[in-house]
Amino acid sequence: MNFELKTLDFALAAKEKCDALIVLLPVSFKPARDVLSVLASQALKTGDLEAKAGKLLQSYRPAGMACSRLVLVSVGSATARDLRQALSAAIGAVKTDKLKKLVVCFAAMPSADALHGAVLAIAEASYSYTTTKSKPEPRAVQRVLVGLPEVSGLKPIFKQAVAAVAGVEYAKEWANRPANHATPTLVAGAARALAKFSGIQCEVLGPKEVARLAMGSFMAVAQGSAEPLRFIVLRYTGAAKTQAPTVLIGKGITFDSGGISIKPAPEMDEMKFDMSGAASVLGVFRALAELKPAINVVGLIPACENLPDGRAIKPGDVVTSMSGQTIEILNTDAEGRLVLCDALTYAERFKPRAVVDIATLTGACVIALGGVRSGLFASDDGLAAALQAAGEAACDLCWRMPLDEDYAEGLKTSFADVANVAGRAGGSITAAKFLQRFAAKFPWAHLDIAGTAWKSGTAKGATGRPVALLLQYLLTSAK
Ligand code: BES
Ligand code: MN
Ligand code: ZN
């Protein structure tokens, strides 16, 4: 999809030839004297267009205008949330195969966050997954022209938003692919493909190298599958080599059956999304490739399947992690923390300024926060505040959860240094407490995206979260 930003008043917008013109009208709308302004103000005055965000009024080939469809849409007070709602309603109303060129015109200058949110909402509303269809329909919306009263101050945020779209869509693509089309080897291929962009390097380790690193915990999860594991190391170098990088670690379980502690059959297909953390890391690198900011970032992805088989780990097995700590695997379905702990230890070698892991880690986090906010856990208050703020700015929300030492009680065991599960209570927190044991050497945060990474039901599909949050965090932390 091709996005363009242009200075456009309503008189000019009316002359843009396009399949659909969407006009965003805030409650504060001040009409000029051109045809479109008069039309909009009359529609609002008569109440034919309600002033509530998301309410819309459509027409076909309006006289004196170059568009084939016109949508007047109210955006309330034009917050990022209002715009999101208004744009998905408006695009939903005009989305057909014929919608190739779209013009979205703002009546008033949006805030930076609102413009960013609008661009992401346009992409979201026009996205569709096609990779494993036999007759993929080409993407309808090809060109989007965003018109503002004056573009100059908002060019950088527009550029960031367009890069975020590329990142979100890369993440969606890989998270949506079924597990047989997104094996650890294929995910490594998606990472390698990013190395064609300048500034990005990719290294992929296989079973032999991982054994040499003594990642006994990661290897234990992979041993029940015929698909060989991959440990993916991505590097983006935009600043001096001496500048400490931020490390992102994405959980890359390409399918989570639960292993011997097998999951129930209903909805088990959704466990193809258990590599959404990994997909978000790929997405961030895709966006960095567009933006080329002056920062250094490392991406680590432990990728494997979690399957039951004659060689699979059994409840009660004790393994030795790369850190030397021994782990009693009481539940083979708590595998995410087992692959992440070795990646956290591996991250030490980069002497990072911060490490953020991203994982569809616990069903308990879905119970706690639902699909609205990701769970945020952090050993460092500054890092927590920066991530929370980035989430607000990028409309990709998270919420901080506690890490009191008392939550680690349940992980104690007589048979190893630590158990991989505690009781049911506070499950997302005890999982984070497990990870924290491996993250003592750097400021660390953990995002549990189990509730936010994909949608279930009729709209089943990856959301691309939290690419926008992470990108916003990386770009602001660079300043
Ligand atoms: N990938 C799952 C977490 C998950 C479950 C994400 C449902 C989204 C929806 C993870 O590997 C898992 O199975 N966690 C267990 C942990 C438990 C055994 C302590 C869970 O949440 O049930
Ligand atoms: Mn699991
Ligand atoms: Zn899992």
Side-chain angles (χ1 to χ4, degrees):
M1 209 168 33
N2 189 348
F3 277 97
E4 195 190 330
L5 186 68
K6 199 167 159 184
T7 298
L8 219 56
D9 60 17
F10 276 15
L12 284 170
K15 288 192 195 119
E16 284 290 338
K17 208 169 150 27
C18 58
D19 303 302
L21 168 62
I22 294 174
V23 180
L24 304 171
L25 299 162
V27 281
S28 60
F29 175 58
K30 300 257 178 335
R33 269 190 290 192
D34 59 282
V35 183
L36 183 53
S37 295
V38 171
L39 215 65
S41 82
Q42 277 174 357
L44 283 165
K45 216 175 284 166
T46 55
D48 286 319
L49 175 62
E50 280 180 65
K52 223 176 108 214
K55 293 287 177 188
L56 45 91
L57 184 64
Q58 288 194 66
S59 49
Y60 181 63
R61 291 195 185 160
M65 301 182 56
C67 57
S68 63
R69 286 162 176 244
L70 170 67
V71 189
L72 303 177
V73 56
S74 288
V75 297
S77 44
T79 62
R81 198 168 170 275
D82 289 335
L83 283 164
R84 226 160 223 268
Q85 202 186 340
L87 280 161
S88 65
I91 294 172
V94 292
K95 196 177 166 185
T96 61
D97 304 347
K98 288 203 196 89
L99 180 62
K100 297 273 184 246
K101 185 181 173 190
L102 176 65
V103 178
V104 175
C105 191
F106 284 78
M109 284 300 278
S111 68
D113 291 354
L115 178 63
H116 184 273
V119 170
L120 276 128
I122 293 166
E124 168 82 46
S126 54
Y127 172 86
S128 64
Y129 169 83
T130 58
T131 309
T132 40
K133 299 272 184 78
S134 69
K135 296 181 198 72
E137 288 152 24
R139 188 177 186 137
V141 183
Q142 306 272 335
R143 290 181 58 201
V144 181
L145 176 63
V146 177
L148 296 182
E150 167 57 46
V151 299
S152 54
L154 289 175
K155 273 185 187 161
I157 194 76
F158 184 76
K159 198 173 162 219
Q160 180 187 328
V162 173
V165 166
V168 163
E169 295 197 345
Y170 203 65
K172 280 186 184 177
E173 168 63 21
W174 280 95
N176 277 332
R177 285 195 189 203
N180 64 329
H181 292 260
T183 60
T185 306
L186 289 167
V187 172
R192 275 212 180 94
L194 291 169
K196 74 168 192 269
F197 294 103
S198 70
I200 296 183
Q201 288 165 295
C202 178
E203 188 189 353
V204 178
L205 312 184
K208 271 197 200 120
E209 291 97 332
V210 165
R212 227 173 283 134
L213 285 164
M215 291 185 168
S217 186
F218 175 30
M219 281 158 43
V221 175
Q223 77 192 31
S225 164
E227 283 293 335
L229 63 76
R230 294 289 181 258
F231 189 83
I232 303 163
V233 184
L234 276 161
R235 281 163 173 270
Y236 168 75
T237 315
K241 292 236 163 64
T242 50
Q243 197 178 109
T246 303
V247 177
L248 304 178
I249 302 177
K251 172 178 172 183
I253 299 296
T254 59
F255 189 77
D256 180 12
S257 72
I260 298 295
S261 313
I262 199 160
K263 289 181 181 294
E267 277 116 56
M268 205 209 269
D269 66 290
E270 295 190 8
M271 284 299 120
K272 71 172 184 177
F273 294 117
D274 210 21
M275 38 63 76
S276 297
S280 77
V281 172
L282 296 177
V284 168
F285 275 76
R286 179 69 191 79
L288 293 173
E290 295 289 309
L291 286 173
K292 307 240 185 316
I295 54 173
N296 293 334
V297 186
V298 172
L300 303 178
I301 297 174
C304 69
E305 294 183 333
N306 184 24
L307 292 182
D309 143 297
R311 264 188 294 273
I313 36 167
K314 303 165 290 295
D317 283 2
V318 173
V319 298
T320 304
S321 66
M322 185 181 177
S323 72
Q325 296 179 71
T326 59
I327 304 165
E328 185 186 23
I329 301 174
L330 287 173
N331 189 321
T332 65
D333 197 10
E335 84 298 339
R337 61 199 82 180
L338 297 175
V339 306
L340 291 171
C341 69
D342 282 342
L344 284 164
T345 303
Y346 187 86
E348 289 172 8
R349 67 183 57 202
F350 300 103
K351 300 192 171 50
R353 61 193 293 272
V355 176
V356 182
D357 75 69
I358 308 103
T360 48
L361 203 63
T362 64
C365 193
V366 191
I367 303 298
L369 295 171
V372 181
R373 288 181 186 258
S374 305
L376 165 64
F377 300 82
S379 60
D380 181 283
D381 291 342
L383 180 56
L387 285 164
Q388 172 113 24
E392 303 290 332
C395 280
D396 189 351
L397 304 172
C398 61
W399 194 256
R400 192 169 182 189
M401 303 278 279
L403 280 172
D404 303 280
E405 215 33 56
D406 288 346
Y407 284 109
E409 277 306 301
L411 295 171
K412 289 189 175 149
T413 164
S414 314
F415 301 102
D417 299 344
V418 66
N420 78 328
V421 290
R424 269 165 58 82
S428 70
I429 312 169
T430 53
K433 287 308 287 181
F434 177 93
L435 294 178
Q436 193 180 13
R437 298 174 62 98
F438 301 86
K441 302 214 168 115
F442 36 68
W444 160 79
H446 156 60
L447 286 165
D448 193 331
I449 58 167
T452 53
W454 75 89
K455 290 189 177 130
S456 307
T458 44
K460 192 191 286 181
T463 59
R465 290 176 70 181
V467 170
L469 179 161
L470 293 167
L471 186 64
Q472 179 75 24
Y473 162 70
L474 291 171
L475 296 176
T476 42
S477 68
K479 283 174 193 152

